[in-house]
Amino acid sequence: MKQLIAALLYYGRNPLRVFKRIRELLDPHRSHVDENDVLYRFLKGRVDPGVMVDVGAHQGGSAEPFVRDRWRVYCFEPDPGTRGILTERLGGSENVTIESLAVSNEARQNVPFFTSDVSTGISGLSSFHPSHKETETVNTVRLSDYLAQQGVSEVRYLKIDTEGHDLFVLKSFPWNQPAPIAVLCEFENHKTRPQGYTTEDLCEYLREQGYELLLSEWEPVV
């Protein structure tokens, strides 16, 4: 399960009003909150469709509503098994690009990639679970380089779920261009301390980019 940070830029809006609207979107009768769905419903009708970048797209659940609303979506999913499902689900849409690349703060070749037969949701660039096995190598790319190659000058929504590498993805973003209106990423010290950073470091980096933060913690974290 996840602990997630939703980071929002307000562009002159009253943060308290925004937080109130977010709370209204949280259904108290549901046992599980889908943070991506909350952000989707918050952005819908307030923001014209633009570019969504989904780093760690898994099977496409986060990207699908944005694809349906005609956003231009770039999905990064290095796990070939999961990417196959993602491609079956969204690959036929002309407004979707699916990449086998991993995203990090450095562009590298043949980086070890770890998968698990316990959960498809914990594949990544580091081994933090007893079930992890190195099953292949992947290439990594910086978002700044990739977006420049694609001619993308503005990302409106950035979703990251990279099992401990979220800060590195953020550091690869071209912050000299307009910042995403919303960022959704994961925090969990168990995964990130071995990578050299903590939840506090991740929060501080987002604040430095001008964001207000909403933290969603699933309990217990499994």
Side-chain angles (χ1 to χ4, degrees):
M1 292 187 179
K2 307 294 184 185
Q3 305 177 87
L4 297 162
I5 296 175
L8 291 159
L9 277 174
Y10 295 113
Y11 295 113
R13 297 189 184 95
N14 184 332
L16 292 178
R17 186 180 305 167
V18 173
F19 288 152
K20 181 179 179 181
R21 178 55 184 152
I22 291 287
R23 289 186 64 183
E24 290 171 353
L25 292 170
L26 298 174
D27 185 347
H29 302 293
R30 295 173 64 183
S31 60
H32 167 65
V33 173
D34 184 330
E35 294 85 355
N36 182 79
D37 179 61
V38 171
L39 281 181
Y40 164 73
R41 288 185 287 150
F42 176 79
L43 293 171
K44 187 176 178 66
R46 292 178 174 81
V47 177
D48 292 334
V51 172
M52 175 197 183
V53 173
D54 191 347
V55 183
H58 198 234
Q59 298 176 358
S62 296
E64 188 170 40
F66 293 90
V67 174
R68 188 171 57 242
D69 284 1
R70 308 306 300 168
W71 286 58
R72 183 70 177 92
V73 181
Y74 294 89
C75 295
F76 294 85
E77 182 47 65
D79 186 330
T82 303
R83 190 172 63 254
I85 298 172
L86 169 66
T87 301
E88 288 182 7
R89 187 174 189 173
L90 299 178
S93 302
E94 62 182 14
N95 54 323
V96 177
T97 298
I98 298 173
E99 298 286 359
S100 61
L101 297 163
V103 178
S104 188
N105 58 331
E106 295 181 353
R108 298 169 59 195
Q109 304 289 314
N110 300 318
V111 179
F113 190 77
F114 301 89
T115 60
S116 165
D117 56 9
V118 172
S119 171
T120 61
I122 61 172
S123 300
L125 296 175
S126 59
S127 174
F128 56 83
H129 192 272
S131 65
H132 270 139
K133 296 178 182 178
E134 182 184 338
T135 54
E136 62 181 296
T137 60
V138 300
N139 297 335
T140 64
V141 66
R142 289 180 54 86
L143 282 180
S144 57
D145 296 335
Y146 180 85
L147 294 173
Q149 292 168 3
Q150 298 296 321
V152 175
S153 59
E154 181 179 1
V155 174
R156 293 193 172 175
Y157 177 39
L158 172 60
K159 174 254 171 180
I160 309 169
D161 187 353
T162 57
E163 305 306 312
H165 289 255
D166 296 44
L167 180 58
F168 305 134
V169 176
L170 286 169
K171 287 187 174 181
S172 82
F173 188 84
W175 294 106
N176 58 320
Q177 70 179 41
I181 294 171
V183 176
L184 181 67
C185 58
E186 180 186 39
F187 68 94
E188 190 175 338
N189 283 333
H190 169 69
K191 297 174 184 176
T192 63
R193 280 200 177 103
Q195 306 307 317
Y197 75 92
T198 66
T199 298
E200 288 73 19
D201 297 324
L202 181 60
C203 290
E204 184 57 30
Y205 187 83
L206 287 165
R207 290 192 189 99
E208 288 173 357
Q209 311 312 318
Y211 288 96
E212 296 282 349
L213 308 182
L214 299 121
L215 273 63
S216 173
E217 183 172 358
W218 296 15
E219 181 64 33
V221 177
V222 178

